Amino acid sequence: MFFRLSSLGLCLFAMPFCGGCATSAPDATGFALVESAVVDGAYVDVWQASKKVLRDEELIVFTRDKRGLFVAYDDLGRHRLVPRRRQFSVVVEEVSATSSKVTIETLDQEYGVRLLKYPDWHDRKTTETERGSAILEAIKAGVTNPAGEAEASE
């Protein structure tokens, strides 16, 4: 009798801690920091400047297409033995023939395993904005003062 009551009590005590094995992915809205600016320059020039700036920043450019999307990652780092990286998504959109809009989304990611999932990168809240702002300013500077004009003026 005592065994039955103690096992029932143990089950009742443990039930609130068992939320189930299969859980939905956590809501990651609001994790990314987004900055945008309108740049005076044709779409092709802004696209080329974006490509050059990402290479000069020594980022790993994962996606690059002519539609204006770049996905780049900084070097892999570790925090408490957990691999971490920062993802930069750069989108170039044509506003007019002489101006383009550049949007940079900065997102921190952490490598890990969730229950019943394969290992993958998971989004984390981003707090640091300096590097995304620096990339945006470098793209603006690259469009207004391309490398060819800088070398010719020297």
Side-chain angles (χ1 to χ4, degrees):
M1 179 72 178
F2 177 73
F3 179 73
R4 287 184 190 169
L5 287 177
S6 63
S7 62
L8 180 64
L10 182 63
C11 289
L12 289 175
F13 176 75
M15 280 182 69
F17 300 108
C18 300
C21 292
T23 60
S24 61
D27 184 20
T29 55
F31 281 12
L33 296 175
V34 179
E35 298 180 60
S36 62
V38 175
V39 179
D40 293 331
Y43 174 80
V44 176
D45 297 334
V46 175
W47 189 87
Q48 290 293 339
S50 301
K51 181 173 69 169
K52 183 181 182 316
V53 165
L54 292 175
R55 285 183 181 163
D56 290 346
E57 290 282 328
E58 297 180 355
L59 297 173
I60 301 165
V61 180
F62 186 71
T63 303
R64 177 183 71 230
D65 64 3
K66 290 287 187 177
R67 292 173 290 187
L69 173 68
F70 295 91
V71 178
Y73 301 98
D74 64 356
D75 287 334
L76 184 68
R78 289 186 179 269
H79 178 66
R80 296 185 185 143
L81 301 176
V82 178
R84 291 189 171 190
R85 68 181 181 186
R86 183 161 288 137
Q87 174 185 331
F88 299 98
S89 299
V90 180
V91 179
V92 180
E93 300 170 311
E94 185 174 17
V95 175
S96 68
T98 59
S99 64
S100 301
K101 180 180 177 185
V102 178
T103 305
I104 296 182
E105 180 183 81
T106 306
L107 184 66
D108 286 343
Q109 293 182 329
E110 187 175 273
Y111 193 78
V113 179
R114 294 185 51 85
L115 283 175
L116 302 176
K117 305 276 186 194
Y118 288 110
D120 200 7
W121 290 99
H122 303 288
D123 298 340
R124 297 292 179 248
K125 189 163 184 69
T126 304
T127 56
E128 186 266 325
T129 63
E130 291 85 21
R131 188 134 187 225
S133 299
I135 291 172
L136 185 60
E137 293 301 320
I139 291 172
K140 286 183 192 177
V143 171
T144 58
N145 188 16
E149 291 178 12
E151 293 172 4
S153 64
E154 292 177 359

